[in-house]
Amino acid sequence: MGILSNDIDPRLQTLYDHWLQVRKGALIPNRRDIDPVAIWTVLPFVWMCDYIADSGRFRFRLAGEEMNMFHHRNLVGTYLDETFPEVQQDHVIAKYRRAIETPAILYVRGAIHAKTHPYLRGERLLLPLLDQSEAPTIIVGATVSHMGAGTGVRTGATGQKLDTPPTCETIEFPLSP
């Protein structure tokens, strides 16, 4: 089971278990060690982003079918910050940067921020990967939504629509040798 809780979505657990297995004792596995066949059941929810140091942005290199449907477009080649509401961009990008810079595993549950579904709840897992030069510049992750679990628009006491999405809990596991 590792460091993640027993109540993690089994699809995220599959990705996490594979990431642990391909580390082979290293702190962070290499991108080339990820085997799509080993995680075929979770591939529709898997995404991968490259960190572009010059711009400080993350660009999708891979996005499973469920991710593309969730965002109503093919994410490959688009930037991560284009998928979140503007008010959430800095907060969300900071999490992704921590996964690379710390490095750390991040598990998020609660609000799953996206322009297409601003009030959706679910879970997200971020796992760092090494690139060809052995630098941690890639994140592999998976996002699962829990339709029907707090997906409604939030309203205030007088019935007005609230623009702030529900909160989320982020659990961060720094990696150390």
Side-chain angles (χ1 to χ4, degrees):
M1 184 64 60
I3 58 178
L4 295 179
S5 68
N6 290 334
D7 61 346
I8 185 174
D9 186 284
R11 295 165 287 195
L12 299 183
Q13 187 67 51
T14 297
L15 178 62
Y16 176 67
D17 290 344
H18 179 66
W19 184 87
L20 284 176
Q21 180 184 10
V22 299
R23 279 181 17 171
K24 302 173 192 160
L27 187 63
I28 302 171
N30 195 293
R31 156 58 191 105
R32 68 178 170 268
D33 295 326
I34 299 297
D35 180 6
V37 174
I39 57 171
W40 70 272
T41 58
V42 72
L43 284 178
F45 304 91
V46 169
W47 47 266
M48 194 176 291
C49 287
D50 293 313
Y51 177 63
I52 314 299
D54 293 343
S55 66
R57 297 174 83 188
F58 289 88
R59 183 174 46 226
F60 284 98
R61 75 158 48 197
L62 175 140
E65 297 134 30
E66 289 291 328
M67 292 301 301
N68 290 329
M69 286 186 343
F70 181 79
H71 289 281
H72 304 296
R73 64 178 169 160
N74 184 344
L75 294 176
V76 174
T78 64
Y79 289 95
L80 179 68
D81 55 77
E82 298 170 349
T83 66
F84 295 102
E86 192 171 324
V87 298
Q88 294 296 326
Q89 287 176 5
D90 290 343
H91 174 72
V92 172
I93 298 302
K95 290 179 186 182
Y96 283 67
R97 290 186 77 168
R98 283 197 308 276
I100 293 289
E101 293 170 355
T102 301
I105 297 166
L106 278 85
Y107 170 66
V108 181
R109 66 178 161 210
I112 298 297
H113 304 296
K115 284 183 179 178
T116 55
H117 302 283
Y119 303 101
L120 196 60
R121 302 190 67 73
E123 299 172 59
R124 180 173 285 143
L125 181 64
L126 289 76
L127 303 165
L129 294 174
L130 301 176
D131 61 19
Q132 292 176 343
S133 67
E134 302 297 316
T137 63
I138 303 168
I139 297 176
V140 63
T143 304
V144 294
S145 62
H146 301 306
M147 298 297 226
T151 60
V153 174
R154 293 180 47 197
T155 57
T158 60
Q160 80 278 18
K161 179 182 170 190
L162 299 176
D163 291 329
T164 56
T167 60
C168 64
E169 173 188 18
T170 301
I171 303 169
E172 186 172 331
F173 306 99
L175 300 170
S176 57

